[in-house]
Amino acid sequence: MTATRVLVLNSGSSSVKYQLLDMRDSARLAVGLVERIGESTSRLVHTPLAGDGERREHTGAIADHSAALKAVADELARDGLGLDSPELAAIGHRVVHGGLRFTEPTVITDEVLAEIERLVPVAPLHNPANITGIRTAQALRPDLPQIAVFDTAFHTTMPEPAARYAIDVKTADAHRIRRYGFHGTSHAYVSRTTAALLGKDPSEVNVIVLHLGNGASASAVRGGRCVDTSMGLTPLEGLVMGTRSGDIDPAVTFHLMRVAGMSADDVDVLLNKKSGLVGLCGDNDMREIRRRVDAGDERAALAFDIYVHRLKKYIGAYCAVLGRVDAIAFTAGVGENAAPVREAAIAGLEGLGPVVDAELNAVRSGEARLISPASARVAVAVVPTDEELEIARQSYELVKNMVNA
Ligand code: ADP
C-alpha cells in the first residue's frame, strides 16, 4: 500500500491544531484542535471531512500534550483514519524558529531536535511547545518520519543588508541577533499562488505579500525568493498587529524601565500582548473595529488609521526594495476578509502602480482572485493562505520516495 497521508501538527503552549491530508489530491480527511491543555476545561473539536462522520466535541481535563495527541489519535481511529495506518507517510510539524541553519523542511533526528532546542532563547514562546509536540508524536509513532517545517525557512534567502540590524556586530553575532522573519510558510505559499494567478512562473514575478492575521507581516519576494520581511528577531517587529506594537523606537523600552519602573518582562507583555489594535482601541478583531468605525467611534477609527498607515509604509518600502512590483497579495484573516483594509491600504498608491477595483474588492470568496482592474500596472490579489497544506506538501515531498521505496 502506498503511504500518501500526512498529519500536520501545529503545537502551541496550550493547544494543538491538526489536519490529516491525503497528498494524492491534497484532500483534507480530518481537521481539529485541542485547546486549554492542562486546564480542567480542555476542549477537543474534531471534524472528519471524508466519509459521513460528524463534527465531535469533547470538554474535560486533558492533562498534557501527550494526552492531547492520544485523544486526537482516538478520534482519527474512530473515523478509520488511525495513526497506525500504513497509509500515513509522515507527521509534519510547524516549527516557529529554525535560525539560520534550517533553510528547508528537515527530517527530525536527535541532532535536529537538539538544534531546535538551542534556538529556544530566540523563540522562548514558540519553540518549547513545538518541541513538546514533536516528542509526543515521536513517542506515538517512533517508526514514522517526523518532519519539521520552519516558519523562518523561506526568509533565509534575505540578503545581509536586509537581515542585519545596525548594531555592534560582535554583540549581534554572540547572541544570534538578526532579522529572521516568520509566517514563512504562508509567504511562500501565497507568493507562489499569486504568480500562478498571473499565469507566470514564480521566478518571473516580484510580489509583496501582506499576511494580516492576528499576527501580521509583510514580505518582498523577488523571483520566488524572499528579499525582505517585516518581522525580525521575534514576531514583534513590523506591522501593527492585533496585540503587538510592531515597529517602535527601541528607546521606549528602556525609557519605560527607567521612568515607569517596569521590568523587562513587563515591557515584553506590554508590547506583545497589550499593544497594537487592542492597545489602541481595546479590540483586536477587525470585524469589531470596523463595526465601531462605522458607528462613529473615534478611538476605533484612529486605531484603524494607524494600522493602515503602517501597512502603506511597508508597501512603499517594498516597492523600493523590489524596484519592480508585479503584484501585491493580501492574505490571512484580515487580508482575506477585510475589504476596507485592502481598500484603504492601496488608496492613493496609483503613482506606484497598484489600484483596487471597488466592485471586485467587495466580492466575498474563498478563492484566490485579483481585485485590481486589468489596466493596473501592479496587480492586487486576495489569496487565502493554507499553511497546513504547504506543510503537508513540503513534508510529503521529502519523504515520499523514502516511505514508498
Ligand atoms: P492568526 O492565525 O494570526 O490567529 P488569522 O489569520 O486567523 O489569525 O486572523 C484572525 C483575525 O482575522 C481576527 O482577529 C480578525 O481581526 C480577522 N478577521 C477574521 N474574519 C474577518 C472578517 N470577516 N472581517 C474582518 N476581519 C476578520
Side-chain angles (χ1 to χ4, degrees), residues 193-207:
T193 306
T194 305
L197 201 57
L198 300 179
K200 300 252 170 82
D201 188 81
S203 64
E204 300 172 307
V205 296
N206 294 347
V207 183

Side-chain angles (χ1 to χ4, degrees), residues 49-68:
L49 299 171
D52 44 14
E54 299 213 333
R55 179 179 181 279
R56 303 191 285 275
E57 189 174 326
H58 307 279
T59 44
I62 296 180
D64 53 24
H65 281 72
S66 175

Side-chain angles (χ1 to χ4, degrees), residues 213-215 284-287 332-334 337-338 364:
N214 202 18
N284 62 340
D285 191 311
M286 193 50 83
R287 284 164 287 205
V334 175
N337 297 300
R364 296 197 60 83

